[in-house]
Amino acid sequence: MQQRDRFIDGLRALAILGVVGGHWLVGALVATPAGGLRIDSPLRYLQWLHPATWFLQMLGLFFLVGGYTAAQGLRRARARGETDAEWVRRRLWRIGRPVVAATMILAVALPLLGVLGLGAGTARTTVVLFLQPLWFMAVYAVITALTPYALRLDRRGGLWVVLALAAAVAVVDLVRFGPDVEPAAVGYLSVLPAWCFAYQLGVAWSAGRVDRRVAGGLLAGGLALFVFLLTVLEYPVSIVSVPGSPRSNSNPPSLMVPALAAIQAGAALLLRDRIERLLRRPRVWAAVAVLNLSAMSVFCWHQVALVGVSEVARRFGTLPGLGDAPVDIGWVAARLAWYPVLALVLAGLVVLVRPYEHPVPAVALKPADTAETAEPVSR
């Protein structure tokens, strides 16, 4: 069995914590007079909170790590005689298995909970919040399926391919936000290049093309582009969508997405030695390892945990940070105070559903497969 790369696992864990923490912060569930929960967001009311999304949206790191580990895994698979199609099918099964399990569990649980008194409004909120993270998994699965082509492009173009992907997003932005042009569905042409940027960078990193000099260039170039987009072109401050805002940096993704990914990737690679020293601490590494074991499960269930805690709290009245409107700093402080409870509930859900997520797989795995690093787990 191959030894795990602590740096890779650490970056993945950081990305997961950013996504979960970010969703729990910007997702408010307000109690309604009808006895349910409706979705709101403090980003609608608190503009000073928008810069926090720069640090909480770390999907760029997840795609970076995904590209790195996928490229390594595909090369190993080819070396042992496995076809690209076999490798893609097996990897997609690992990514999709928790999603399929979670969907089936909720399809059974929600009607039963409805009989026991769960309101229709809360049930709808649960479904909406469960589906929200799945856009990420769908995009990640598509890009993963394209890994053989990513390796081919890397051999031919190296880091120029990464720059070309960012340039493609810039062209789409020019069409979306250029003179006399309103944002339109054309913006969704940027979905693949925007998220492929970090993934392709991970592929290049696995091939040894990303050293400290390149990492420094990523950090400086990404930061310069980020500041230019914000201050000169007046892109939205928030990386994630703000309810009611006519423009978004994430739906569809704008050039801010690869710019932020470049900043995060460059900073992480430059800080590698410090991060690895931190990960040598037994307690830190234990937490990172456990989180990596259930990364996709956490993605699937973290919003359900939020709804569950909020619904239970609603039965006792409107509690600060759970059922009240997210209109001031007091709500933010109260929501942060609920994080330990949300984390415990999420951990309980992950433990409960794990047997359903890991049945005997329909796709037979070779013994060598158990050593491959994958999302969420290397077995």
Side-chain angles (χ1 to χ4, degrees):
M1 180 177 292
Q2 293 188 350
Q3 185 178 6
R4 296 195 69 104
D5 187 325
R6 295 195 177 197
F7 180 61
I8 292 295
D9 282 353
L11 294 186
R12 187 186 293 117
L14 182 61
I16 296 165
L17 289 175
V19 170
V20 173
H23 281 164
W24 285 350
L25 181 62
V26 304
L29 298 177
V30 181
T32 65
L37 296 170
R38 65 174 177 86
I39 302 171
D40 203 347
S41 173
L43 296 177
R44 185 197 299 270
Y45 312 100
L46 308 175
Q47 290 191 358
W48 57 264
L49 193 59
H50 291 191
T53 62
W54 305 345
F55 306 97
L56 294 173
Q57 207 279 47
M58 295 188 180
L59 287 178
L61 288 181
F62 199 98
F63 278 90
L64 175 77
V65 169
Y68 180 92
T69 57
Q72 297 282 58
L74 181 54
R75 292 190 187 101
R76 289 195 295 267
R78 288 172 173 175
R80 58 179 179 259
E82 188 174 353
T83 67
D84 289 359
E86 289 171 339
W87 178 87
V88 169
R89 184 171 63 251
R90 176 167 48 81
R91 195 165 181 89
L92 291 181
W93 169 247
R94 289 182 174 181
I95 295 171
R97 183 170 53 195
V99 179
V100 173
T103 302
M104 295 176 65
I105 292 170
L106 283 178
V108 173
L110 286 178
L112 291 177
L113 291 172
V115 173
L116 296 175
L118 182 69
T122 300
R124 284 194 299 271
T125 294
T126 304
V127 172
V128 170
L129 290 182
F130 170 71
L131 292 176
Q132 276 185 353
L134 297 191
W135 72 264
F136 152 76
M137 294 187 181
V139 173
Y140 188 76
V142 170
I143 294 176
T144 296
L146 297 175
T147 300
Y149 301 98
L151 265 68
R152 189 179 307 171
L153 288 171
D154 180 71
R155 287 196 301 270
R156 294 181 178 181
L159 291 172
W160 288 108
V161 178
V162 179
L163 292 175
L165 290 168
V169 181
V171 170
V172 175
D173 275 11
L174 182 61
V175 175
R176 289 171 65 193
F177 305 132
D180 303 321
V181 177
E182 295 294 329
V186 68
Y188 287 96
L189 293 174
S190 67
V191 170
L192 278 182
W195 295 112
C196 275
F197 171 85
Y199 194 90
Q200 190 71 38
L201 182 61
V203 172
W205 178 24
S206 75
R209 304 185 195 279
V210 182
D211 54 17
R212 289 187 63 85
R213 180 180 60 83
V214 173
L218 285 168
L219 177 58
L223 187 58
L225 177 59
F226 196 86
V227 172
F228 176 78
L229 293 174
L230 278 178
T231 59
V232 178
L233 299 185
E234 298 182 343
Y235 274 52
V237 174
S238 174
I239 287 295
V240 302
S241 297
V242 178
S245 175
R247 290 178 58 174
S248 171
N249 283 317
S250 63
N251 185 29
S254 74
L255 193 55
M256 291 278 280
V257 167
L260 181 61
I263 294 170
Q264 293 172 346
L269 293 170
L270 289 174
L271 294 172
R272 177 166 189 161
D273 291 342
R274 295 184 181 183
I275 293 173
E276 288 181 332
R277 284 198 297 271
L278 177 64
L279 292 173
R280 282 196 287 269
R281 298 180 182 180
R283 291 183 180 179
V284 174
W285 172 240
V288 167
V290 168
L291 191 54
N292 272 269
L293 286 173
S294 302
M296 288 297 176
S297 303
V298 169
F299 272 116
C300 287
W301 290 98
H302 72 279
Q303 296 280 56
V304 178
L306 175 60
V307 177
V309 172
S310 299
E311 175 64 15
V312 171
R314 185 185 65 80
R315 304 301 176 97
F316 294 93
T318 301
L319 301 182
L322 286 181
D324 53 339
V327 295
D328 55 33
I329 192 173
W331 184 93
V332 174
R335 172 55 63 89
L336 292 174
W338 282 106
Y339 272 32
V341 176
L342 294 172
L344 285 174
V345 173
L346 174 57
L349 285 173
V350 170
V351 171
L352 286 174
V353 304
R354 190 167 180 79
Y356 302 97
E357 294 178 346
H358 299 275
V360 177
V363 181
L365 301 182
K366 300 176 183 179
D369 296 341
T370 59
E372 179 181 330
T373 302
E375 286 72 38
V377 59
S378 171
R379 292 183 127 78

